[in-house]
Amino acid sequence: MKKLLLISSLLVMAPVAFPQSAAVFMPEGPLTIETQSGPVTITAEVADEPDEIATGLMFRESIAEDRGMIFDFGTPREPNMWMRNVEFPIDMVFMDAEGTVLAIVAHAQAHSERHINPGFPVKGVLELADGQANAFGIRPGDQIIHEIFGNAETASAEDTSDSEEVAE
C-alpha cells in the first residue's frame, strides 16, 4: 500500500517536478508593424500566461519569416529573456505600453543562457525569425499594432470611418 501511495504521489507531481521538453503553441492573430517604409502584417502567437512566457519558442525547430511571438507582460517590467532550448537565432523587439518600439536585439544566439535585457521596463517583446527586424525595416519609434496595446481596434475603427466618409 505504501508503494502504491508513493507511486501515485510521484505521478501527480511529475508535471511539476520534471522540466518541460515540448513546445507550447499559443493563440495567434494578426500583428502589424508600422515602419517608416510602410506597414508589415504578420501572424503572431500571444504568450501572456506565466507558463507561456517561460516557454516561448523553446523546443521548436524554427519560426517562419511571416510569423512571430509577442510576449505580453501586462504591467510593464524589466524582462530577462534568454535562449535556453531555442534551436535557432531570433530577433527581439522591445515595446512600451503603447506599442512603440524602444529597442531591438538582432541575432540572439541559439541555446544561450545570457540574459537579454533592454535595461528598462517594457510591456511586450516581439520575437521574430533571425534577420526579420532588419528585413521588415523595424526601428526604434515604429509602432506595433496589436490588441495587447489596445490600438488594434482603434486602427480598424479609423479605417472603417475613413471608408464610410469615402462612401458618402
Side-chain angles (χ1 to χ4, degrees):
M1 183 66 172
K2 285 184 181 181
K3 282 184 182 180
L4 182 59
L5 262 174
L6 177 62
I7 291 171
S8 297
S9 297
L10 289 174
L11 288 175
V12 169
M13 293 177 51
V16 175
F18 298 104
Q20 182 179 342
S21 60
V24 174
F25 293 89
M26 295 130 218
E28 58 184 34
L31 177 145
T32 300
I33 308 149
E34 295 285 348
T35 71
Q36 290 181 357
S37 50
V40 176
T41 300
I42 64 169
T43 299
E45 290 181 63
V46 180
D48 58 3
E49 297 294 329
D51 62 321
E52 296 169 345
I53 291 170
T55 305
L57 292 171
M58 290 181 178
F59 311 110
R60 298 182 187 205
E61 292 180 16
S62 65
I63 185 169
E65 292 180 353
D66 64 344
R67 300 239 169 206
M69 179 176 289
I70 189 163
F71 293 78
D72 179 4
F73 300 126
T75 303
R77 66 177 171 109
E78 228 177 287
N80 280 304
M81 310 296 282
W82 64 354
M83 297 291 290
R84 174 189 278 179
N85 297 318
V86 179
E87 301 292 324
F88 45 92
I90 61 171
D91 293 345
M92 295 181 188
V93 180
F94 297 87
M95 293 92 48
D96 68 12
E98 287 75 41
T100 303
V101 174
L102 302 175
I104 301 163
V105 172
H107 315 297
Q109 182 182 0
H111 299 289
S112 173
E113 293 192 15
R114 180 180 72 88
H115 285 235
I116 301 168
N117 180 320
F120 44 81
V122 297
K123 173 162 174 61
V125 177
L126 174 62
E127 293 184 341
L128 299 167
D130 186 40
Q132 286 308 106
N134 186 52
F136 293 152
I138 303 171
R139 302 285 178 265
D142 289 348
Q143 190 69 34
I144 306 296
I145 308 298
H146 191 271
E147 62 188 18
I148 73 165
F149 303 114
N151 59 10
E153 297 80 16
T154 302
S156 55
E158 287 172 5
D159 292 344
T160 304
S161 66
D162 288 346
S163 61
E164 287 172 4
E165 289 175 18
V166 172
E168 292 177 358

